[in-house]
Each structure stands twice: as structure tokens, then as C-alpha cells.
Amino acid sequence: GEDVEQSLFLSVREGDSSVINCTYTDSSSTYLYWYKQEPGAGLQLLTYIFSNMDMKQDQRLTVLLNKKDKHLSLRIADTQTGDSAIYFCAECEGGSYIPTFGRGTSLIVHP
Amino acid sequence: EPEVTQTPSHQVTQMGQEVILRCVPISNHLYFYWYRQILGQKVEFLVSFYNNEISEKSEIFDDQFSVERPDGSNFTLKIRSTKLEDSAMYFCASSQKESVRNTIYFGEGSWLTVV
């Protein structure tokens, strides 16, 4: 079955860039997602990328996809304290509309 | 912005007791989901529901679990006889369409502690 792995914690200084990494096993993944969970809130879709793309940029967010290595990353430029949250990587395998999630990476932004 | 709401936010129950977790999906959504996350582990898919029936379920969703849409607005998850390993955060979600490009909206979660 499909599997999604990500590191549990990332600590960055305010103003620096954050890079959250994710690896997945399913080569038939069609869509890959990044969700954000702020304290006391539900998972919120941040961005997604289709598997035929290498990169997607949306304001401070850059998603990079390396299909050969099955590696997905989320870069947050100029990280702010408000970016502190848990970031979940997720993927949908071909034919499924139900995302498979990782454990989530806790991003801690300190002054 | 419309949101998925869940109640209770936290419930403590004794092993063997029945628990019902409630969700109000976004009003014009047609697809409903339950996920759970055991502390420190991955967010796991439990079940999806459409047109008043289960459309897909995972291995976790055994006979102890059931879902229901009793009144056209609520979507419930029932655990018949809770076990210690059912302790987890349970997330309800909904979407307008069944599509990988369609956004799934999640609630804040219901934290279930089985003692």
C-alpha cells in the first residue's frame, strides 16, 4: 500500500526559509498535497501539485516534486511566527480521490 | 467561510462504552469522511460516505464502527464498544465532489480518550 513519510519537527528562525520534506512510495500518485493544521483547528488545504508538474509557486509557498525520487517539498519563504503549525503531506494514488496522509511536521518558528 | 464543525471537542470514555462523535459538514457538500490520528502517528482514513451509504472504507473501519447521516445535516461516527487503542483524534471532513482536485474540508477534530 501507499506510504507517506515526513520528519516530525522543524525549527526555523523568523525571516528564514523553511523547507518541509516528504517522501512517498506510490508511483501512481496523481495529486500530492500540503495541508496545514493550526492549533485548535482542522486540516486546511494549502496547496496541491499534479504529478506531471515539477514545481508550483503560490506567493511565499513553493512546492517541488521529484517524481524519480518520490520526493515532495514545501518551501515557505520569509517564515513568520504565524506559520507555526503542523504541515501534512498527502497523496492520492491513481484512481482514488481519498488522500493518504503522513504524520505531519511540526514547524516551530522562533524569533 | 463555511466550515465543518465537530462535537464534542474532547470526550473521555470507559473501555467498552459506546461513543458517538458528531459532525456537521458544509451544507452543500455531498461527500463525507472520517479520519483519525493516534497520537504521534499518521492521519488514517476510516470511511467515506455518499448518497446515504458507505462508498469506501479502510481495514480500520471494522464492525465496531458505523456511520450515519440521521437527519440531513449531521454525520455521525459510532464506536460500539471502545477499546484503549481507539484513543485518537477523529477528524470529520466533507467535499462537494468526488475528485482529487476537489478540496476536502476538515473539522477541528474530536479527541477521544478511552480509559
Side-chain angles (χ1 to χ4, degrees):
Chain A
E2 59 275 16
D3 195 20
V4 176
E5 293 291 342
Q6 45 184 138
S7 54
L8 291 181
F9 298 100
L10 176 66
S11 178
V12 299
R13 194 182 301 274
E14 191 175 12
D16 287 352
S17 291
S18 309
V19 179
I20 303 171
N21 294 302
C22 169
T23 57
Y24 60 97
T25 56
D26 193 340
S27 57
S28 69
S29 295
T30 51
Y31 280 85
L32 296 114
Y33 308 85
W34 284 105
Y35 281 79
K36 176 183 180 183
Q37 185 185 26
E38 295 180 359
L43 282 72
Q44 176 191 13
L45 180 64
L46 268 185
T47 186
Y48 65 86
I49 188 168
F50 187 47
S51 58
N52 68 353
M53 298 168 65
D54 298 323
M55 186 183 86
K56 182 177 179 181
Q57 187 152 3
D58 183 3
Q59 299 181 338
R60 291 191 298 122
L61 305 179
T62 303
V63 178
L64 294 177
L65 175 61
N66 181 328
K67 280 185 64 179
K68 176 175 166 289
D69 295 337
K70 299 192 185 74
H71 183 266
L72 182 75
S73 68
L74 174 70
R75 180 177 180 270
I76 305 172
D78 186 25
T79 314
Q80 302 298 306
T81 54
D83 294 323
S84 293
I86 303 175
Y87 290 81
F88 290 89
C89 174
E91 58 94 20
C92 273
E93 64 173 299
S96 173
Y97 60 91
I98 295 174
T100 298
F101 287 85
R103 294 175 194 235
T105 299
S106 289
L107 175 64
I108 302 159
V109 182
H110 55 89
Chain B
E1 186 175 328
E3 57 183 20
V4 176
T5 57
Q6 293 185 238
T7 54
S9 56
H10 188 195
Q11 182 163 351
V12 181
T13 190
Q14 287 200 324
M15 194 167 53
Q17 294 296 304
E18 176 184 282
V19 159
I20 298 176
L21 304 178
R22 291 182 168 78
C23 169
V24 180
I26 295 172
S27 60
N28 63 345
H29 285 188
L30 301 176
Y31 296 85
F32 314 114
Y33 315 84
W34 284 100
Y35 281 78
R36 78 171 185 192
Q37 186 180 27
I38 295 171
L39 191 63
Q41 297 187 25
K42 297 178 182 179
V43 176
E44 302 170 295
F45 168 72
L46 294 178
V47 66
S48 62
F49 191 86
Y50 169 71
N51 200 26
N52 281 321
E53 59 183 31
I54 291 172
S55 48
E56 196 166 334
K57 62 181 181 179
S58 70
E59 291 175 355
I60 302 167
F61 194 87
D62 61 20
D63 292 343
Q64 290 296 314
F65 291 91
S66 63
V67 288
E68 197 178 28
R69 187 153 163 81
D71 56 13
S73 63
N74 288 284
F75 178 52
T76 62
L77 174 69
K78 183 192 290 186
I79 310 174
R80 286 191 186 82
S81 177
T82 49
K83 303 187 282 286
L84 294 176
E85 53 265 38
D86 294 326
S87 295
M89 178 73 88
Y90 288 81
F91 293 104
C92 175
S94 68
S95 64
Q96 206 167 29
K97 296 176 187 175
E98 180 185 86
S99 163
V100 290
R101 275 188 286 190
N102 191 61
T103 300
I104 296 179
Y105 292 83
F106 284 82
E108 296 179 3
S110 292
W111 184 248
L112 176 65
T113 303
V114 183
V115 297

